[in-house]
Amino acid sequence: MTHVLDLPPPATSIPEAEAGGILTIDLAALAANWRLLRDRARGAECAAVVKADAYGIGIEAAVPALFAAGCRTFFVAHLQEATRARAVCQDATIYVLNGLLVGTAPAYATHGLRPVLGSREEIEEWAAFCRAAGRRLPAAVHADTGMNRLGLRAEEAAALAAEGALPDFEPALLMSHLVSADEPDHPVTARQIAAFLALRERFPGVPASLCNSSGIFLRLQPHLDLVRPGYALYGGNPMPGADNPMRPVVHLAGRIIQLRWAADGETVGYNAHWTAQGRRRIATISVGYADGYLRAASATNLKAGGEAVVAGVRCPFAGRVSMDLITIDVSGVPEDSIARGDLVTLIGDGIGIDEVGARCGTIGYEVLTSLGRRYARRYVGS
């Protein structure tokens, strides 16, 4: 049975009756997705990536729910995210993917956090701090096997290990990041796996991690000691082109604030790019790109845009997505089935986060992490 969880509301919590939209987050689905990924990892530890405010659903809600499900290791991008995760979960292992900013080592030690070290400079600073503190503190070593963003080149990491340059701290994890795990036949994946396995031999006894969400589902199964799913936890499809095995976590509803008729030939929205073909009924809802529903989902005379589910019927957007409003052609819905104040579904009820991303000309990741703070947030679970 689904029930509303008694979680402390965020500082920006809005009463549902006053909100233009309601964002419902299913923490039971989040936990179920973690368990599915854990089982797919075939014995490797399953961590959880909760960066970007847990992909928009809220660190303070996601981390305890995942910890209760059995997750013990978490990854964030920034130190500030890590301290928020620590505040709600004292016993978790927490890594910071963006590494060690200059002068922040004391904060890591104070809160029991682990930097992901991706350069000689970071390693030297962390090692110097550990020497001064007289403590061999843990950190991850990030090796770049093809992404060319963060991380030591594989030969640099191997050289550091050969030089014995790591004894002042505890290398608690060796990690790299897959470039194209969502394209299972991409040749770069096999090259990365081979390079990382060779490097792993230079770090005996150090747990190794390579897989993100999509990596867990690769035929080659490079699960190693720990996997780091992110997007799939929140309902995104880790296997584009195949059926999504994950449960939806986010449901977004927008409120109708006006219903009107547009006559044949009249236009709707900014710049008059959408023209009514025959008399059309238009519902205006109180959600826009300021709420994270991207302007690229606009509909024009030349291209379809987003869709919403209105009284059980899929209805197309009509005109531009503006800052605070979206207009929808609800002509296919019986007139007496909808009224001012009703809610329409923008994410959910068969409209998955990946579809919304595609209709916005982007990926579901961007949509999830853009969802704003003007919604009333409702956390549910079982």
Side-chain angles (χ1 to χ4, degrees), residues 127-193:
F129 175 80
C130 291
R131 286 194 301 271
R135 299 166 61 194
R136 196 165 176 266
L137 297 169
V141 175
H142 183 181
D144 176 31
T145 54
M147 186 73 80
N148 275 311
R149 297 186 312 185
L150 296 174
L152 298 149
R153 289 190 176 274
E155 58 270 22
E156 289 181 291
L160 282 169
E163 293 166 11
L166 309 176
D168 292 313
F169 69 93
E170 178 194 346
L173 186 70
L174 176 69
M175 60 172 282
S176 190
H177 195 64
L178 292 168
V179 171
S180 295
D182 57 346
E183 300 177 86
D185 297 321
H186 199 296
V188 72
T189 302
R191 293 199 299 268
Q192 282 191 278
I193 294 170

Side-chain angles (χ1 to χ4, degrees), residues 71-349:
C71 184
R72 294 295 178 265
T73 302
F74 297 85
F75 289 82
V76 296
H78 297 289
L79 181 57
Q80 179 264 347
E81 294 176 329
T83 57
R84 286 174 58 195
R86 175 61 75 221
V88 295
C89 195
Q90 293 299 309
D91 298 323
T93 298
I94 303 171
Y95 287 96
V96 180
L97 291 163
N98 283 15
L100 187 68
L101 295 181
V102 174
T104 57
Y108 280 89
T110 297
H111 297 287
L113 306 171
R114 301 183 179 189
V116 176
L117 306 174
S119 69
R120 272 187 174 268
E121 292 84 357
E122 287 182 317
I123 287 171
E124 289 167 0
E125 182 171 345
W126 186 246
F129 175 80
C130 291
R131 286 194 301 271
R135 299 166 61 194
R136 196 165 176 266
L137 297 169
V141 175
H142 183 181
D144 176 31
T145 54
M147 186 73 80
N148 275 311
R149 297 186 312 185
L150 296 174
L152 298 149
R153 289 190 176 274
E155 58 270 22
E156 289 181 291
L160 282 169
E163 293 166 11
L166 309 176
D168 292 313
F169 69 93
E170 178 194 346
L173 186 70
L174 176 69
M175 60 172 282
S176 190
H177 195 64
L178 292 168
V179 171
S180 295
D182 57 346
E183 300 177 86
D185 297 321
H186 199 296
V188 72
T189 302
R191 293 199 299 268
Q192 282 191 278
I193 294 170
F196 190 67
L197 291 177
L199 180 62
R200 185 189 188 195
E201 295 179 3
R202 305 293 188 97
F203 290 79
V206 177
S209 175
L210 182 61
C211 283
N212 55 6
S213 292
S214 295
I216 294 171
F217 292 84
L218 287 172
R219 177 180 51 81
L220 296 172
Q221 297 184 9
H223 299 146
L224 305 179
D225 301 298
L226 180 143
V227 296
R228 313 184 308 271
Y231 185 52
L233 289 171
Y234 308 99
N237 191 353
M239 302 187 297
D243 290 341
N244 188 357
M246 316 312 299
R247 285 174 53 177
V249 172
V250 169
H251 182 281
L252 176 60
R255 195 178 304 281
I256 297 174
I257 56 175
Q258 190 171 109
L259 287 156
R260 66 190 306 126
W261 288 94
D264 182 31
E266 289 187 335
T267 62
V268 175
Y270 282 116
N271 304 116
H273 284 309
W274 187 92
T275 305
Q277 304 297 313
R279 188 168 180 256
R280 312 303 295 174
R281 197 178 191 206
I282 304 297
T284 301
I285 65 169
S286 187
V287 170
Y289 60 73
D291 304 293
Y293 206 102
L294 305 182
R295 185 174 182 271
S298 299
T300 72
N301 294 331
L302 300 178
K303 78 170 187 71
E307 292 186 350
V309 176
V310 184
V313 179
R314 276 220 185 198
C315 297
F317 288 8
R320 298 286 194 198
V321 174
S322 57
M323 184 179 292
D324 310 297
L325 302 169
I326 297 173
T327 41
I328 303 168
D329 182 352
V330 295
S331 306
V333 180
E335 284 189 47
D336 59 358
S337 295
I338 52 174
R340 171 175 163 264
D342 287 353
L343 294 168
V344 308
T345 300
L346 295 167
I347 302 173
D349 298 343

